[in-house]
Amino acid sequence: MKRLLLKIKSFFAVPHNQPSAAARHATINVRQAQALQQQGGLLLDVREAHEYALIHAPHSTHIPLAQLSQRLNKIAAYQDQP
């Protein structure tokens, strides 16, 4: 049985007095992502609609990257979550 491995990247705003987003970027595995989701974390998929339609992680939130700045209100409740 083949396993699908997902590389999950996080995109978040960082206050000016903290390290850059690139410096804080971490790669997590699927089990870690599931655990974070169970703790109330947000799994945000920023790929285009046709990519998301092909395959995506269960319970992920889809906002294409080009629309993210206009739709930040949809994910504002998660700003202090993983």
Side-chain angles (χ1 to χ4, degrees), residues 32-74:
Q32 291 168 319
Q34 288 173 330
L36 288 170
Q37 280 185 294
Q38 290 172 352
Q39 296 169 18
L42 172 70
L43 178 56
L44 180 61
D45 191 322
V46 297
R47 296 173 303 144
E48 294 301 319
H50 67 278
E51 296 169 307
Y52 186 82
L54 290 173
I55 191 167
H56 59 272
H59 311 294
S60 60
T61 298
H62 178 237
I63 301 176
L65 187 57
Q67 298 174 17
L68 187 58
S69 63
Q70 294 89 13
R71 296 177 63 190
L72 286 175
N73 62 329
K74 184 174 181 178

Side-chain angles (χ1 to χ4, degrees), residues 1-8 29-31 34 47 54-58:
M1 177 179 190
K2 293 182 181 180
R3 289 181 176 231
L4 173 64
L5 299 178
L6 299 175
K7 183 174 181 182
I8 301 168
N29 65 38
V30 173
R31 286 193 177 128
Q34 288 173 330
R47 296 173 303 144
L54 290 173
I55 191 167
H56 59 272

